[in-house]
């Protein structure tokens, strides 16, 4: 495997994901990014995921307070602008009301003029000059009405514009209030967290002072114990030197108390031996005899340990072979069971659980092959159950070395077809395995037709039992 180096992260990703050779599994960029097939590891140290205590809390609070002051100034300016806009809207509404009143009065005047014109038209002798004057006056009024309508449209547009500005100002005011509230809440949270941090810092400082004091105490005790250990080592070295002057060093696992007790016992025995007359040659001979017996026993113990390990190893091997043999037996009996069922057109299997000591037999008696579901033996009919039992017994006989095989009333509850196939299965099995084995089958059915086919088969038919009339 190999690692490549590229100029950029995009080029490395295209190389790894799209056209990477088989030996390349990762790529490094000049920026320090590691690109792999399942992800990219960036070297961007500018990002900082921490949210609190990144800067000085007092500086952060001062900045937030300055932002709050600026926002409050903006809110006051927005309020002043809002008041001015409201006054302009009120003035425009007053102008609109006045102009509307003028328009209504002009409409009334125009209606009067029109009525007057109609009256003059109805008068036949009315002079022509008066009608012309009225038409001119009507034209003037029409021009005034058009001018008023134009002014009305301009005022409506201006009112709409001012209304939009008013709504924008209200929206900005609400946003400013919301930001102010959010910043205030945020400031309170930061104050609470800063207070908690100060308390935690104070507790940590107290713990630090406590552990510093403990460290001093431990160092002083350590220094004291070191001095005592050095003194003890010097004493031990001196004692060892004195002991080595008298005798050689002997390795032992006994404790100091046991050695002291042994020394006292030996001193006591020396005192007792000095007081009584003891033969040194006899003691030496007894010592050598005990030593030879000890070495002999030690050799026997080593041989017994080796023999025990060999027995354990052999037992493990035999146990492993036993488990393999048991597994192979289970496979073979399942194979023979399936083969015996196939002579009737049935399918099935045997499940052997050696740990739970259970044997489960599952059969499918559908000879048409339409269904693949297996059933438990208890759900079958009597004949099907008897035939499956015969198949199971024949499977067991294939794996047994007993010279005698006996089976009594195996065809109970069987129909004619199952009885015929089961009998043929048993006879074929007996013929194939007749060497050094004898098969004895008991059945209430007539088996005389089998005697002509096989020369080694003997059929013995018992007489019918006598029955009394009362029993009849």
């Amino acid at each position: 495997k190999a690692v490549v180096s590229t100029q950029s992260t995009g080029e490395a990703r295209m190389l790894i994901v799209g056209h990477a050779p088989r030996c390349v599994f990762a790529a490094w960029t000049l920026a320090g990014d590691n690109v792999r097939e399942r992800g990219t590891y960036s070297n961007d140290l500018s990002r900082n995921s921490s949210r609190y205590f990144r800067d000085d809390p007092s500086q952060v609070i001062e900045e937030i307070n300055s932002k709050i002051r600026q926002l409050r100034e903006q809110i006051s300016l927005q309020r002043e602008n809002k008041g001015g806009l409201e006054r302009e809207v009120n003035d425009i509404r007053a102008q609109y009301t006045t102009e509307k009143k003028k328009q209504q009065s002009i409409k009334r005047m125009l209606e009067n003029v029109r009525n007057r014109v109609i009256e003059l038209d109805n008068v036949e002798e009315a002079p022509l000059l008066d009608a012309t004057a009225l038409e001119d006056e009507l034209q003037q009024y029409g021009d005034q009405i058009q001018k008023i309508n134009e002014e009305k449209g301009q005022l409506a547009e201006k009112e709409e514009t001012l209304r939009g500005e008013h709504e924008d100002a209200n929206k900005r005011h609400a946003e400013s209030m919301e930001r102010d509230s959010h910043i205030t809440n945020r400031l309170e949270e930061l104050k609470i967290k800063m207070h908690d941090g100060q308390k935690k810092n104070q507790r940590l400082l107290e713990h630090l002072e406590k552990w510093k004091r403990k460290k001093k105490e431990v160092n002083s005790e350590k220094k004291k114990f070191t001095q005592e250990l050095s003194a003890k080592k010097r004493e031990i070295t001196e004692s060892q030197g004195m002991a080595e002057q008298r005798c050689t060093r002997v390795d032992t696992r006994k404790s100091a108390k046991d050695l002291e007790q042994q020394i006292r016992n030996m001193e006591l025995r020396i005192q007792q031996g000095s007081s009584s007359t003891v033969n040194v040659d006899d003691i030496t001979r007894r010592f050598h005899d005990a030593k030879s017996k000890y070495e002999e026993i030690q050799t026997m113990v080593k041989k017994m340990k080796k023999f025990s390990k060999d027995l354990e190893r052999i037992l493990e091997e035999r146990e492993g072979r036993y488990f393999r043999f048991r597994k192979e037996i289970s496979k073979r009996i399942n194979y023979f069971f399936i083969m015996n069922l196939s002579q009737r057109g049935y399918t099935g299997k045997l499940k052997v659980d050696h740990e739970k000591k259970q044997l489960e037999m599952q059969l499918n008696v559908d000879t048409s092959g339409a269904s693949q579901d297996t059933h438990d033996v208890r759900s079958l009919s009597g004949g099907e159950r008897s035939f499956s039992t015969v198949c199971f017994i024949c499977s067991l006989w294939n794996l047994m070395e007993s010279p005698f095989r006996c089976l009594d009333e195996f065809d109970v509850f069987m129909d004619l077809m199952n009885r015929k196939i089961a009998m043929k299965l048993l006879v074929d099995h007996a013929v194939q395995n007749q060497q050094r084995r004898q098969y004895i089958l008991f059945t209430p059915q007539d088996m005389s037709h089998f005697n002509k086919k096989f020369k080694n088969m003997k059929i013995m038919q018992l007489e019918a039992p006598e029955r009394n009339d009362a029993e009849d």
Side-chain angles (χ1 to χ4, degrees):
K1 295 185 178 181
V3 179
V4 298
S5 176
T6 58
Q7 293 288 337
S8 62
T9 306
E11 183 180 355
R13 190 176 294 109
M14 290 178 63
L15 177 62
I16 292 299
V17 176
H19 308 285
R22 292 184 178 179
C23 61
V24 175
F25 70 96
W28 288 89
T29 63
L30 295 178
D33 298 339
N34 186 5
V35 180
R36 296 176 178 267
E37 186 177 357
R38 296 185 179 179
T40 302
Y41 302 92
S42 178
N43 193 28
D44 187 7
L45 300 178
S46 61
R47 295 177 296 179
N48 190 354
S49 59
S50 61
R51 299 175 57 189
Y52 310 114
F53 302 110
R54 291 184 296 180
D55 299 326
D56 187 5
S58 60
Q59 184 178 0
V60 174
I61 293 171
E62 184 64 27
E63 292 177 356
I64 294 173
N65 289 328
S66 64
K67 290 182 181 179
I68 291 172
R69 287 194 295 271
Q70 292 176 2
L71 290 173
R72 287 177 178 173
E73 292 176 357
Q74 292 178 4
I75 290 170
S76 61
L77 292 175
Q78 294 294 334
R79 287 177 180 174
E80 292 177 359
N81 294 333
K82 180 181 177 182
L85 292 173
E86 288 178 351
R87 286 193 295 273
E88 290 182 3
V89 170
N90 293 329
D91 295 340
I92 290 170
R93 287 178 179 174
Q95 292 178 7
Y96 174 75
T97 304
T98 304
E99 294 297 332
K100 192 172 183 180
K101 290 180 180 179
K102 288 182 181 181
Q103 184 181 6
Q104 290 176 357
S105 63
I106 291 170
K107 284 183 179 179
R108 288 194 296 271
M109 292 174 63
L110 182 61
E111 188 67 27
N112 294 330
V113 170
R114 287 178 179 174
N115 293 331
R116 183 63 178 169
V117 170
I118 292 170
E119 290 176 358
L120 292 174
D121 290 338
N122 293 329
V123 179
E124 296 179 354
E125 296 179 356
L128 183 60
L129 295 174
D130 294 334
T132 304
L134 291 173
E135 289 177 356
D136 294 338
E137 186 176 359
L138 179 62
Q139 183 66 30
Q140 292 177 1
Y141 283 128
D143 295 338
Q144 291 180 4
I145 289 170
Q146 185 176 2
K147 184 178 180 181
I148 290 170
N149 287 330
E150 292 176 355
E151 292 178 356
K152 179 181 176 183
Q154 293 176 359
L155 291 173
E157 292 177 356
K158 189 173 182 181
E159 181 182 7
E160 187 68 25
T161 304
L162 292 175
R163 186 180 289 110
E165 293 178 356
H166 179 67
E167 292 177 356
D168 293 339
N170 288 332
K171 191 179 294 185
R172 289 194 299 271
H173 177 68
E175 292 177 354
S176 300
M177 293 295 291
E178 186 178 357
R179 286 196 302 270
D180 189 9
S181 176
H182 179 71
I183 291 172
T184 304
N185 295 331
R186 183 64 178 167
L187 181 61
E188 292 296 329
E189 292 178 359
L190 289 174
K191 286 182 178 179
I192 293 171
K193 289 182 179 180
M194 186 178 69
H195 184 64
D196 295 338
Q198 290 176 354
K199 288 183 177 180
K200 188 175 181 181
N201 190 18
Q202 185 65 28
R203 289 196 299 269
L204 290 174
L205 290 175
E206 292 176 357
H207 284 296
L208 181 62
E209 293 296 329
K210 179 181 177 181
W211 287 110
K212 283 182 178 179
R213 291 193 297 271
K214 286 188 176 181
K215 183 179 179 182
K216 290 181 180 178
E217 294 175 358
V218 169
N219 289 331
S220 61
E221 291 180 357
K222 180 181 178 182
K223 187 177 180 180
K224 180 179 178 182
F225 289 145
T226 303
Q227 294 175 357
E228 293 179 356
L229 180 62
S230 300
K232 293 292 182 181
K233 285 182 178 180
R234 288 193 299 270
E235 291 179 1
I236 291 171
T237 304
E238 293 175 356
S239 300
Q240 287 179 352
M242 294 173 64
E244 289 176 355
Q245 290 176 2
R246 296 186 178 183
C247 61
T248 58
R249 183 180 179 87
V250 178
D251 294 331
T252 181
R253 294 182 180 179
K254 296 181 180 180
S255 62
K257 292 182 178 180
D258 295 337
L259 293 173
E260 290 177 356
Q261 183 65 31
Q262 187 176 0
I263 291 170
R264 285 195 294 270
N265 293 333
M266 291 180 69
E267 290 177 351
L268 181 61
R269 290 176 63 184
I270 290 170
Q271 291 177 1
Q272 292 176 358
S274 61
S275 60
S276 62
T277 59
V278 180
N279 190 358
V280 179
D281 295 334
D282 188 18
I283 293 173
T284 305
R285 182 180 55 78
R286 289 167 59 187
F287 168 74
H288 287 294
D289 293 339
K291 184 178 180 182
S292 61
K293 288 182 180 181
Y294 170 74
E295 291 176 352
E296 184 179 356
I297 292 171
Q298 192 174 13
T299 304
M300 291 176 62
V301 168
K302 289 181 180 179
K303 290 181 179 180
M304 291 299 295
K305 287 183 178 179
K306 184 177 181 301
F307 182 68
S308 176
K309 290 182 180 179
D310 293 338
L311 286 178
E312 290 178 356
R313 178 179 55 81
I314 293 170
L315 181 61
E316 291 177 358
E317 292 178 358
R318 290 173 65 87
E319 189 177 12
R321 285 196 294 268
Y322 165 72
F323 286 142
R324 290 194 296 271
F325 178 73
R326 188 176 66 178
K327 185 177 180 181
E328 188 65 26
I329 289 292
S330 301
K331 290 182 180 179
R332 291 185 63 187
I333 194 172
N334 187 30
Y335 169 74
F336 288 124
F337 182 71
I338 294 172
M339 293 297 294
N340 294 332
L341 288 177
S342 64
Q343 296 188 19
R344 182 65 179 88
Y346 296 165
T347 58
K349 59 183 178 179
L350 289 174
K351 290 184 178 180
V352 183
D353 191 348
H354 297 284
E355 299 296 332
K356 297 181 181 179
K357 298 182 180 180
Q358 293 179 355
L359 174 65
E360 183 180 359
M361 187 184 302
Q362 295 182 354
L363 277 80
N364 182 10
V365 297
D366 187 7
T367 59
S368 61
S371 176
Q372 298 295 330
D373 298 334
T374 57
H375 305 280
D376 192 82
V377 181
R378 291 171 291 185
S379 63
L380 301 177
S381 64
E384 293 170 347
R385 193 182 305 166
S386 298
F387 179 75
S388 62
T389 304
V390 171
C391 294
F392 174 66
I393 291 172
C394 290
S395 302
L396 287 177
W397 282 354
N398 286 323
L399 303 174
M400 293 170 60
E401 297 297 334
S402 175
F404 298 100
R405 312 289 172 86
C406 298
L407 192 60
D408 183 19
E409 294 186 358
F410 57 89
D411 52 355
V412 178
F413 305 115
M414 286 189 185
D415 55 6
L416 182 60
M417 180 63 71
N418 285 329
R419 183 180 297 110
K420 183 178 180 182
I421 295 173
M423 192 63 198
K424 185 178 181 301
L425 178 64
L426 290 171
V427 173
D428 291 343
H429 186 274
V431 171
Q432 293 174 3
N433 301 277
Q434 64 182 350
Q435 296 180 358
R436 298 185 300 276
R437 291 183 179 87
Q438 184 176 1
Y439 291 82
I440 304 172
L441 306 178
F442 297 92
T443 176
Q445 307 298 328
D446 184 15
M447 297 289 137
S448 60
H449 57 283
F450 280 100
N451 195 13
K452 299 178 181 179
K453 295 182 180 181
F454 305 100
K455 60 181 181 179
N456 294 330
M457 179 182 293
K458 293 182 181 181
I459 298 177
M460 292 180 290
Q461 186 174 0
L462 302 178
E463 295 181 359
E466 296 181 359
R467 301 181 183 274
N468 299 326
D469 294 338
E471 294 177 357
D472 295 339

